[in-house]
Amino acid sequence: RNVPFTLQEIAELYPSDSEGIPYYLKNGIEYDHPVRQAQIVLHLLNSHSFDSLNTEFINRAKLILDRLTENAHEDENALFLPYPFDFNLHSDENEVMVNPWYSCMAQGQALSAFSKYFEITKDSLYLETAEKIFNSFLKIMQEGNPWISGIDGDNYLWLEEYPDSDQPNKTLNGMIF
């Protein structure tokens, strides 16, 4: 698409609450969804030329990034963005990611969003947050603590979309993001 998205078009892509924060609707309940929120920030920041800053786009991106930060869990200078709902992996009721759970896909998308926001605004708070999100990738499969990275039996690094100490999933699209 060669024409930038408008705020209205972005709002039509995903439902948002009264503050303008996009949400995920599950069983009639509105939840924060870190991948969805980070992707919308990237839409906002990539849909407009910032030769002259468009404060509407910047302010909406900041609002969403601030919500991601509010919901984050910090563990030894690493920031993890939780999913606040249970999720049946592969629609299987026997494979449940229990809230709060974390995903390299969310971490990677958020790292991109916070880095892009810093690149545009030069607000060092968002660089510091990006650095803490980056640190989450350095936490290798910790029992009882959040993690998104693991080393398999062949000594390969996997960035887990669905981290599970008992059964790593090695989901490729999550690792790529």
Side-chain angles (χ1 to χ4, degrees):
R1 174 179 172 144
N2 295 331
V3 179
F5 283 99
T6 65
L7 279 178
Q8 180 62 34
E9 289 172 321
I10 292 171
E12 289 170 3
L13 290 173
Y14 300 103
S16 298
D17 66 16
S18 60
E19 294 178 44
I21 305 287
Y23 61 82
Y24 170 68
L25 192 62
K26 181 178 179 186
N27 300 325
I29 300 171
E30 295 176 10
Y31 292 99
D32 286 313
H33 190 294
V35 165
R36 179 169 290 174
Q37 290 169 336
Q39 286 178 340
I40 290 174
V41 168
L42 290 169
H43 275 301
L44 290 165
L45 300 178
N46 292 325
S47 293
H48 194 274
S49 167
F50 289 102
D51 296 334
S52 60
L53 289 180
N54 182 321
T55 56
E56 266 190 300
F57 281 69
I58 293 292
N59 290 343
R60 180 66 56 89
K62 180 184 185 312
L63 181 74
I64 297 167
L65 291 173
D66 289 348
R67 172 68 69 86
L68 284 167
T69 304
E70 286 170 22
N71 291 336
H73 298 151
E74 190 165 350
D75 180 66
E76 297 175 4
N77 207 36
L79 208 57
F80 290 87
L81 306 168
Y83 284 85
F85 52 87
D86 292 350
F87 177 72
N88 293 346
L89 215 54
H90 313 103
S91 300
D92 184 345
E93 293 180 12
N94 297 314
E95 291 186 78
V96 180
M97 300 298 296
V98 177
N99 104 67
W101 58 279
Y102 309 92
S103 167
C104 70
M105 187 168 173
Q107 299 295 116
Q109 292 284 279
L111 180 57
S112 294
F114 279 90
S115 297
K116 180 79 171 181
Y117 187 85
F118 167 72
E119 180 183 349
I120 292 167
T121 67
K122 306 299 184 223
D123 186 333
S124 63
L125 176 63
Y126 296 86
L127 175 61
E128 292 169 19
T129 303
E131 289 169 343
K132 288 181 178 182
I133 293 170
F134 176 81
N135 289 341
S136 71
F137 288 88
L138 304 176
K139 302 280 187 177
I140 306 294
M141 198 182 276
Q142 307 177 94
E143 194 63 43
N145 291 314
W147 62 275
I148 56 167
S149 302
I151 307 286
D152 70 12
D154 294 320
N155 213 27
Y156 290 109
L157 172 67
W158 279 91
L159 306 176
E160 291 283 355
E161 182 173 358
Y162 305 109
D164 182 345
S165 299
D166 297 328
Q167 180 62 43
N169 290 279
K170 299 179 183 170
T171 305
L172 185 59
N173 74 312
M175 181 162 166
I176 291 170
F177 273 99

